[in-house]
Amino acid sequence: MKNKDMTMAMKNSISDVLETMFFLSLDFSNDLDLLGLWDTGKDPIIAAKLNFSGPLSGYAVFYIPKKSALSITADFMGKDEQEISDDQIDGTVKEIINMIIGNTFSLYDPEAVFDLGVPELVGFHDFIKNLSDSGKRFSVVIETLENYLAFQMNITNQD
Amino acid sequence: MAYNILIVDDSTPMRAVIKKIVKASGFNVGQFFEAINGLEAMEVLNNEWIDLVLTDYNMPDMNGLELVEEMNKDDHLKSIPAIMITTEGSRTRVEEFMAKGVMDYIKKPFTPEQIKQKLTHIMGETEDEEQRYDNGDEELDF
């Protein structure tokens, strides 16, 4: 596996998904300390996890503050924020990670077939501690106009 | 002619967005039906008149490809065009979709224009297409 290619595929995929379907203007940073600016007491973090298998196996986690998730869900569905339910927010966040990871693998290797699991919400604290960008762990901070989001992919096995 | 469209996706927001885009595309939709997986979709298909199926691939219990395979076992249902809307982009997987009876596929993330193009290709031009363009209403928005 070429780490540089995977990082590029991951960032391009995140841009494709968040800009094309959610109209977010974004930038990337490798400074994971930026996530220390999250005020998780006031604005909880939603974390969605997706397992994958194939030529590479592992999992990915997408982190987004709830206020940002509410905002993009409302925009996505064309509704006011007051009309959006927690289930709709969760569904949108799960859909985002599903699209990002599927698109990442298509960009990384268009010939390879990966099996994606069903996205699930997980405890933010259980996974954020594994956030790093080294070896087979790929992590990136996504800067939007409003907040910081994060994406993490951990490769646990390679065929 | 008004088309009845079945949207199959386990994501409530995604079903809502697809419905909105199809409406905005100007297609003459009779009725939308929704299902959260292939199993629910088969129930709808066996009880309602459906002209087009737009289905996700990755769903619990029965995925989109399994749904198309089930539809192909039935003489009537196999004539209904099914379009896969999916994050799956590998050429091998797409070839598998087509070989097993999926008529076309749309890769997520998609733009409204991409959905419109596929629907036009599959179902033909809309009745009010000419009128919409006369009004300069070519842009689709989410």
Side-chain angles (χ1 to χ4, degrees):
Chain A
M1 181 182 65
K2 293 178 182 171
N3 285 15
K4 197 177 164 188
D5 292 350
M6 180 57 82
T7 301
M8 184 71 76
M10 194 174 82
K11 288 182 176 176
N12 286 340
S13 175
I14 291 167
S15 293
D16 281 351
V17 172
L18 295 182
E19 291 177 347
T20 303
M21 295 204 71
F22 297 93
F23 306 112
L24 286 183
S25 179
L26 56 90
D27 209 344
F28 294 105
S29 172
N30 293 323
D31 183 4
L32 301 177
D33 290 340
L34 285 170
L35 302 181
L37 297 172
W38 277 341
D39 187 352
T40 56
K42 285 185 181 169
D43 189 8
I45 306 299
I46 299 175
K49 176 173 176 270
L50 181 64
N51 295 319
F52 55 84
S53 58
L56 302 170
S57 300
Y59 65 88
V61 187
F62 176 64
Y63 303 89
I64 181 169
K66 189 170 181 181
K67 277 184 190 166
S68 298
L70 169 62
S71 169
I72 65 172
T73 301
D75 285 347
F76 188 53
M77 297 185 71
K79 294 184 172 182
D80 292 332
E81 290 187 6
Q82 295 85 341
E83 298 175 83
I84 299 297
S85 68
D86 281 352
D87 280 350
Q88 289 168 332
I89 295 173
D90 294 348
T92 300
V93 176
K94 289 178 187 173
E95 192 59 45
I96 289 173
I97 191 170
N98 192 37
M99 285 192 277
I100 289 176
I101 204 70
N103 198 35
T104 296
F105 289 136
S106 308
L107 295 171
Y108 178 72
D109 184 353
E111 302 297 337
V113 175
F114 287 88
D115 286 311
L116 306 186
V118 175
E120 56 178 334
L121 295 189
V122 292
F124 150 67
H125 292 290
D126 295 337
F127 289 91
I128 198 80
K129 61 192 176 197
N130 295 329
L131 212 62
S132 74
D133 195 28
S134 61
K136 291 179 179 175
R137 289 179 174 178
F138 301 87
S139 300
V140 66
V141 175
I142 306 157
E143 299 182 54
T144 70
L145 294 175
E146 295 177 344
N147 219 324
Y148 296 108
L149 323 180
F151 188 80
Q152 159 191 19
M153 186 159 66
N154 284 13
I155 309 292
T156 54
N157 195 31
Q158 183 173 1
D159 282 352
Chain B
M1 177 186 170
Y3 299 111
N4 285 351
I5 297 180
L6 171 59
I7 299 170
V8 192
D9 199 309
D10 55 332
S11 164
T12 307
M14 189 53 76
R15 291 198 306 273
V17 166
I18 292 170
K19 196 193 289 187
K20 198 168 68 170
I21 292 172
V22 174
K23 276 183 191 168
S25 296
F27 279 85
N28 193 359
V29 179
Q31 203 172 342
F32 282 109
F33 294 88
E34 297 183 29
I36 63 165
N37 58 30
L39 286 177
E40 265 197 30
M42 282 304 296
E43 261 189 62
V44 175
L45 286 161
N46 284 319
N47 289 294
E48 306 288 348
W49 183 272
I50 300 294
D51 299 297
L52 173 68
V53 176
L54 301 174
T55 180
D56 185 22
Y57 170 69
N58 191 20
M59 297 176 290
D61 299 328
M62 183 188 283
N63 69 33
L65 194 54
E66 291 164 341
L67 166 63
V68 173
E69 287 176 317
E70 278 301 304
M71 289 170 64
N72 283 337
K73 291 176 187 170
D74 182 286
D75 281 343
H76 165 62
L77 297 184
K78 72 180 178 186
S79 66
I80 301 172
I83 300 178
M84 196 79 79
I85 301 180
T86 173
T87 60
E88 300 282 338
S90 87
R91 279 192 271 273
T92 310
R93 186 78 88 190
V94 170
E95 283 167 11
E96 184 188 8
F97 290 161
M98 299 306 181
K100 290 187 173 171
V102 175
M103 180 157 276
D104 209 337
Y105 84 103
I106 297 167
K107 191 173 174 310
K108 297 178 189 173
F110 52 75
T111 63
E113 282 75 14
Q114 286 168 334
I115 297 235
K116 180 181 180 298
Q117 277 175 7
K118 293 288 184 183
L119 291 182
T120 303
H121 177 69
I122 299 286
M123 308 302 282
E125 295 292 325
T126 58
E127 289 172 6
D128 58 351
E129 187 79 0
E130 203 171 309
Q131 187 185 343
R132 281 188 344 103
Y133 284 148
D134 283 349
N135 293 338
D137 182 22
E138 295 185 32
E139 291 262 325
L140 294 174
D141 201 1
F142 277 111

